[in-house]
Amino acid sequence: MFDQLVGYHGQFRLLRHRRTARKAWVFALLLVFTTAVYAQDITQLEKIGPIVSFTRSEKAVVLNCADKSQVQVSVLAADLIRIRTSFAKPLPAKDHSWAIARTNWATPRWTLTEDQTSILITTDELEVVIRRSPLLIQFRDARTHSLINADEQPMAYDAKGLLKEMMFDSKAGTFVAAAKRLGFAEHFYGLGEKAARLDKRRSSFVNWNSDTPGYLEGRDPIYQTIPFYTGLQNGIAYGIFFDNSYRSYFDFGKSSQQRVWFGAEGGELNYYFFFGPALKKILGRYADLTGHMPLPPLWALGNQQSRWSYYPDTMVEEVVSEYRRRDLPLDVLHLDIDYMQGYRVFTWDRERFPNPKALNEKLARQGVKLVAIVDPGVKHQPVAKSAAQITSVTPELESQQQRYYVYEAGLEKNYFQRRQNGDLFVPRVWPGESVFVDYTLPAAREWWGNLHRAYTDYGVAGIWTDMNEPADFIDQTGKNQLDVVSYDEGEKSTHAKNRNTFALLMARATYEGLERLRPNHRPYVITRAGYAGIQRYSTMWTGDTNSTWEALQLNIPMFTTLGMSGEPFVGSDVGGFIGRGNGELLVRAYQVSFLAPFCRNHKVIDGYDNEPWRFGAYYESIIRKYLKLRYQLLPFLYTTLEEAHRTGVPLFRPLVLNYPDDPNTHNLDDQFMIGDDLLVAPVVKPDVTRRLVYLPKGVWYDYWTSKKYQGGTMIFVEAPLEIVPMFVRGGAIIPTGPELKFVGEKPIDPLTFNIYPDDKGAASLTLYEDDGISPAYKQDGFRRTTISARRIGALYDVTVAAPAGKYQPGTRRFAFIMKSGLRVGRAVTVADDGSPRTIRVN
Ligand code: GLC
């Protein structure tokens, strides 16, 4: 077991000390993948036959083709069409996806017309033009009839097995692919977690969840699979979600100047087409289809600290005291794998953590919550012959030397994955030989979820699910797992189909378990791997990054891309996971992450310490400033997070999402926005203290000086280490609260509205609030307050509308400050009594 551990971070050491070797190795690997992608010439595949007849039902049209293929075109909404194809055989009756949250769409009105050459489906928003021979599909804007997206060749499949040789898993199934015309000015966003820049144009990618410590830009695939992207051309956007969990490929005009294609090594050619034209609308529909992110507890927006691993309990306490002594805010501390007995999940090492409940209570008094890591690898531990029965009702606290209660129960219930020949599948992970649960079994998911009482009973507040690609030290590519079978709704399919959804189902089991165990608390789950739909159950972080400037530069495009892929709650190990950082890097890393939803400093076991104070008082003081600012901005961050929950539009955004018509934003990936109102342009290079910032059209205010700018241009700004350039959109009201040591330390009183008027002297905000912890927000346990300001001569009238919702925030004051140019007004403070009113502010 220990060999594996040493082997694993031995790997890290090697990475650090032999940089050149690493680069060469990664390069070689990239070459292999790139060649593989290029080699798939999808023009050689068998094309679907022409349409010979069709049938129409209330919700769909089924096309029957000359080669016995069938295509189902379903109208789910006026802007959402599903294409489902079965090659050379009828569509199967079974139609199931782990990603889909909603199947009961109220069919919108639509019409069907036909002529000699085509069949035309028209909704209020879309026209789907289906040519009969060859079968080609076009999507047009129903209002303008202009083309949005068109097949470049008919849908195709590998009837003759031409691609078998180069398939990762030749037994996976039949390669299926769709090709679309590449627009001359088309840009592509999404595809989830990719170590790549924002605009995916002229690049290609593979989806196959993989444990890739120390990944560099260009490494592909990495941990997650989100086969969803949006295309944007001339301000018109559409989306495609290729819901296929097999190893999949996306090429956005890399191997050809004309073609975008996507395909997979098996499964159905099954995709959803979304029409905008607004990007934000597509993200909303994608969330309707695959699930809206529920709100996590408000404290999840607090600052978090981790380390592989803080132990024993006294060290955990020391880290927390250090945070408090240094006046650094902190909400969460993470327990990495060493809290367990020999990496046995759902156990506590009693020497290191003799009394987890007392520890949690002590930390709770300081406002700190514990999150514990849970890996999928359950130690493979047959019961020792001499073992006595464990009768304890708290087996997690007992010694597991003789028998391990989780392994024993899982084996007895037959919940562990097996190979095709019936043998238990025994990968090697932290505990050495291990087994994985078949999370496609509903009963196994329930059992796994319930096991989390081993944490919640002691006050652990959240669960960090890791290594869920699933990682396997025997072979990280997944080759060792190809014949592993999962129940999969009775299909008994192999890893080829189930690998990419493993983490989704593990996170689901965890989330649903936490919901049952603590029904009055919102679950907080963090994951490394995932598939589309993961946002329903978990927040995520970008895995094992390096402590380098290159890795930091990837933060912004990775976070914004994840946001554009339906995953709003993202972040990365602040300052990088592997290797040794320095004060400058750590400060600049916080200047990116202090506004990311997930803000957690974390470090590998043998990496140089990375807590905010490790590089001296100067750097620490800057980090303190930004962490405090994060807490002051919580009313703003939470309002924007709720928007992400409700609308699918992420908090951490690329500028293109707010300004899709502005070509200057289309590949801008060293700036980001929080919501609609705050533009942030961090420095992500060493020794740099000035930078260019692009401000889109409109009025902008420097956050630090309130200096007013007219946008639509690049400006050159000073950005010494103490400063991250930030600009507020004219027309915005940014709500802020007092400095806090942790969420809930004291009431948000006064709640300050910082008002930044637009050209006409107007600004507005709808503030969102709730109790921050319970699921009551899903009914009417929230409060929305609309504040609007308008200029009256030299003064401003600020109107507070009657709040909506049942949540009562308690007595407090509202303060209003005008920030119109260099003259910052005086704050006007009033009691918030919940009544509508108008206040005069200068
Ligand atoms: C994986 C995780 C990392 C964690 C380590 C030990 O490498 O990505 O965050 O510290 O495992 O659990």
Side-chain angles (χ1 to χ4, degrees):
M1 171 228 17
F2 205 69
D3 305 349
Q4 283 305 340
L5 185 58
V6 171
Y8 192 66
H9 49 96
Q11 194 185 337
F12 290 135
R13 225 171 276 135
L14 198 80
L15 287 169
R16 256 209 331 269
H17 294 313
R18 297 202 205 139
R19 265 162 193 267
T20 350
R22 173 180 66 181
K23 279 193 183 141
W25 181 76
V26 170
F27 186 70
L29 207 89
L30 276 175
L31 216 67
V32 171
F33 280 127
T34 322
T35 337
V37 174
Y38 273 125
Q40 288 149 341
D41 181 1
I42 60 144
T43 62
Q44 301 301 311
L45 300 182
E46 187 81 17
K47 315 288 184 302
I48 194 164
I51 301 171
V52 291
S53 66
F54 68 88
T55 53
R56 186 199 160 150
S57 64
E58 188 211 331
K59 295 172 189 295
V61 176
V62 174
L63 313 172
N64 302 306
C65 304
D67 63 351
K68 303 275 188 300
S69 296
Q70 276 194 324
V71 183
Q72 186 178 44
V73 182
S74 313
V75 183
L76 304 184
D79 56 357
L80 180 58
I81 304 289
R82 179 181 178 198
I83 307 285
R84 185 179 173 220
T85 298
S86 172
F87 292 102
K89 55 175 192 286
L91 286 157
K94 188 184 169 195
D95 181 19
H96 171 260
S97 159
W98 298 111
I100 301 297
R102 177 164 167 195
T103 49
N104 63 334
W105 297 85
T107 309
R109 61 169 178 215
W110 60 284
T111 58
L112 184 143
T113 48
E114 57 171 320
D115 61 21
Q116 290 284 304
T117 53
S118 307
I119 298 162
L120 175 68
I121 293 172
T122 309
T123 73
D124 287 352
E125 298 181 40
L126 269 174
E127 286 173 358
V128 188
V129 186
I130 308 165
R131 196 154 131 191
R132 293 176 198 257
S133 179
L135 198 174
L136 291 167
I137 303 174
Q138 284 189 352
F139 296 94
R140 295 175 176 270
D141 184 331
R143 280 156 293 208
T144 62
H145 308 292
S146 55
L147 185 67
I148 309 161
N149 179 271
D151 279 354
E152 193 260 349
Q153 66 167 45
M155 293 179 279
Y157 69 114
D158 192 10
K160 303 196 187 83
L162 302 174
L163 299 183
K164 278 269 182 247
E165 287 274 294
M166 62 192 67
M167 267 167 52
F168 180 80
D169 177 2
S170 58
K171 297 207 194 89
T174 303
F175 202 98
V176 295
K180 304 286 180 180
R181 278 192 228 148
L182 171 65
F184 185 68
E186 195 170 5
H187 300 272
F188 299 95
Y189 308 104
L191 229 53
E193 191 191 40
K194 293 291 168 197
R197 297 287 155 172
L198 175 67
D199 182 5
K200 306 291 185 284
R201 180 179 173 86
R202 307 311 290 265
S203 349
S204 63
F205 300 92
V206 183
N207 291 314
W208 185 246
N209 292 0
S210 302
D211 180 8
T212 49
Y215 62 86
L216 302 177
E217 182 173 350
R219 178 77 187 266
D220 188 55
I222 56 171
Y223 307 99
Q224 297 205 5
T225 295
I226 314 287
F228 166 61
Y229 72 89
T230 50
L232 174 70
Q233 179 159 244
N234 305 326
I236 308 287
Y238 66 89
I240 286 183
F241 170 39
F242 177 35
D243 186 11
N244 180 316
S245 62
Y246 285 77
R247 188 181 173 98
S248 61
Y249 300 82
F250 284 76
D251 183 316
F252 299 106
K254 174 144 186 167
S255 56
S256 129
Q257 304 252 20
Q258 288 84 38
R259 187 181 316 118
V260 170
W261 70 265
F262 51 88
E265 289 195 357
E268 292 181 5
L269 187 52
N270 167 35
Y271 72 92
Y272 294 81
F273 185 89
F274 305 77
F275 178 43
L279 283 166
K280 287 181 179 171
K281 179 164 165 259
I282 297 168
L283 296 182
R285 269 283 180 247
Y286 176 78
D288 293 343
L289 182 67
T290 65
H292 286 251
M293 167 196 76
L295 279 176
L298 178 53
W299 54 257
L301 283 177
N303 182 40
Q304 313 196 20
Q305 178 67 52
S306 183
R307 175 82 216 224
W308 178 7
S309 302
Y310 290 131
Y311 71 85
D313 55 354
T314 47
M315 186 190 274
V316 170
E317 288 177 48
E318 216 174 310
V319 177
V320 172
S321 320
E322 200 65 17
Y323 257 94
R324 293 293 173 244
R325 197 172 69 74
R326 292 173 182 274
D327 188 26
L328 290 159
L330 182 71
D331 261 274
V332 182
L333 205 102
H334 290 248
L335 293 183
D336 208 326
I337 50 177
D338 295 283
Y339 74 83
M340 309 176 215
Q341 288 180 41
Y343 311 120
R344 291 175 185 87
V345 288
F346 307 107
T347 71
W348 290 90
D349 180 323
R350 301 301 301 283
E351 267 166 38
R352 293 170 177 174
F353 292 88
N355 192 341
K357 189 160 191 199
L359 173 66
N360 267 304
E361 283 164 359
K362 244 190 240 172
L363 298 184
R365 283 196 286 277
Q366 300 173 77
V368 173
K369 279 71 61 185
L370 279 185
V371 165
I373 196 168
V374 178
D375 292 315
V378 172
K379 187 180 171 71
H380 177 252
Q381 185 185 332
V383 181
K385 286 217 174 61
S386 56
Q389 281 291 340
I390 300 183
T391 49
S392 167
V393 289
T394 54
E396 64 277 5
L397 301 179
E398 305 298 320
S399 164
Q400 314 289 321
Q401 284 307 326
Q402 301 290 307
R403 55 200 313 161
Y404 170 28
Y405 78 105
V406 179
Y407 178 82
E408 221 179 316
L411 190 71
E412 190 197 300
K413 296 172 198 287
N414 201 16
Y415 288 162
F416 298 135
Q417 290 186 330
R418 290 177 181 276
R419 292 191 186 275
Q420 246 151 4
N421 66 6
D423 288 354
L424 259 192
F425 166 52
V426 185
R428 288 180 74 87
V429 225
W430 300 130
E433 292 197 340
S434 304
V435 289
F436 291 152
V437 169
D438 178 358
Y439 296 108
T440 68
L441 285 164
R445 285 202 299 276
E446 191 176 342
W447 171 68
W448 185 264
N450 292 344
L451 284 171
H452 288 79
R453 57 151 291 282
Y455 304 107
T456 52
D457 278 3
Y458 306 101
V460 168
I463 299 296
W464 168 18
T465 62
D466 186 26
M467 304 288 279
N468 45 3
E469 294 70 32
D472 174 359
F473 300 149
I474 294 175
D475 169 54
Q476 286 287 35
T477 69
K479 287 264 184 208
N480 180 40
Q481 311 185 359
L482 295 183
D483 67 340
V484 172
V485 179
S486 295
Y487 169 72
D488 187 22
E489 305 263 292
E491 205 178 302
K492 301 217 165 52
S493 56
T494 70
H495 207 63
K497 182 176 175 207
N498 299 311
R499 179 179 180 88
N500 285 339
T501 55
F502 182 87
L504 171 71
L505 294 176
M506 181 186 175
R508 176 171 168 175
T510 307
Y511 182 91
E512 291 174 351
L514 292 179
E515 263 189 326
R516 287 191 299 275
L517 289 162
R518 301 199 313 162
N520 297 324
H521 287 73
R522 305 173 194 170
Y524 180 46
V525 183
I526 303 154
T527 185
R528 194 169 71 175
Y531 182 71
I534 186 73
Q535 72 277 2
R536 304 204 290 273
Y537 311 115
S538 186
T539 67
M540 64 87 54
W541 100 110
T542 59
D544 297 350
T545 52
N546 296 317
S547 290
T548 62
W549 291 98
E550 292 73 24
L552 177 59
Q553 281 155 30
L554 273 181
N555 272 186
I556 300 172
M558 286 185 75
F559 297 174
T560 53
T561 293
L562 280 152
M564 295 292 284
S565 313
E567 279 190 88
F569 207 102
V570 298
S572 80
D573 292 344
V574 182
F577 179 66
I578 298 166
R580 185 180 185 122
N582 59 55
E584 188 192 356
L585 178 69
L586 189 60
V587 164
R588 292 305 196 190
Y590 271 109
Q591 289 176 348
V592 174
S593 283
F594 87 104
L595 291 172
F598 183 62
C599 177
R600 183 191 71 168
N601 178 316
H602 179 46
K603 193 44 100 177
V604 66
I605 189 166
D606 60 351
Y608 190 78
D609 306 86
N610 205 47
E611 291 90 353
W613 55 86
R614 292 292 182 181
F615 301 100
Y618 170 63
Y619 301 107
E620 181 191 340
S621 68
I622 306 174
I623 295 168
R624 179 180 299 109
K625 166 178 153 184
Y626 285 95
L627 287 179
K628 288 194 169 185
L629 181 55
R630 177 180 177 93
Y631 279 77
Q632 288 190 275
L633 284 167
L634 277 174
F636 169 65
L637 288 174
Y638 196 54
T639 293
T640 320
L641 187 70
E642 190 274 338
E643 185 187 345
H645 149 70
R646 185 169 31 87
T647 70
V649 178
L651 173 158
F652 197 107
R653 300 180 189 168
L655 269 68
V656 66
L657 188 50
N658 289 341
Y659 302 93
D661 294 328
D662 180 348
N664 296 297
T665 66
H666 291 170
N667 54 15
L668 188 64
D669 51 18
D670 64 352
Q671 298 181 200
F672 61 90
M673 289 193 71
I674 300 298
D676 281 327
D677 296 335
L678 191 61
L679 185 153
V680 191
V683 167
V684 286
K685 291 180 181 144
D687 302 323
V688 171
T689 54
R690 309 177 75 187
R691 63 159 289 172
L692 282 164
V693 176
Y694 180 68
L695 297 178
K697 279 212 176 67
V699 174
W700 295 90
Y701 297 88
D702 183 311
Y703 180 83
W704 304 106
T705 64
S706 297
K707 185 179 166 191
K708 189 172 173 180
Y709 289 89
Q710 276 301 331
T713 185
M714 285 272 184
I715 58 169
F716 206 42
V717 298
E718 297 298 322
L721 197 55
E722 295 80 2
I723 296 290
V724 55
M726 295 205 286
F727 299 86
V728 183
R729 185 183 63 83
I733 299 177
I734 306 281
T736 54
E739 281 184 8
L740 296 172
K741 288 190 172 64
F742 56 90
V743 169
E745 184 210 356
K746 52 185 179 217
I748 306 297
D749 183 21
L751 179 54
T752 303
F753 297 96
N754 303 275
I755 304 169
Y756 298 85
D758 66 12
D759 261 345
K760 300 194 184 73
S764 66
L765 162 79
T766 298
L767 175 79
Y768 176 84
E769 298 169 286
D770 61 27
D771 67 20
I773 195 81
S774 82
Y777 74 95
K778 293 181 181 169
Q779 278 81 45
D780 50 10
F782 58 80
R783 182 177 175 106
R784 276 182 221 285
T785 315
T786 298
I787 317 273
S788 38
R790 65 191 176 105
R791 190 167 50 220
I792 312 278
L795 301 174
Y796 287 85
D797 267 354
V798 180
T799 304
V800 182
K806 293 240 169 81
Y807 170 66
Q808 294 294 338
T811 50
R812 59 174 177 187
R813 288 158 304 158
F814 280 165
F816 303 92
I817 306 182
M818 293 306 309
K819 297 214 163 147
S820 49
L822 293 176
R823 186 182 65 87
V824 172
R826 255 185 317 121
V828 176
T829 306
V830 300
D832 164 29
D833 56 10
S835 58
R837 56 167 73 180
T838 298
I839 300 124
R840 187 85 5 134
V841 183
N842 72 3

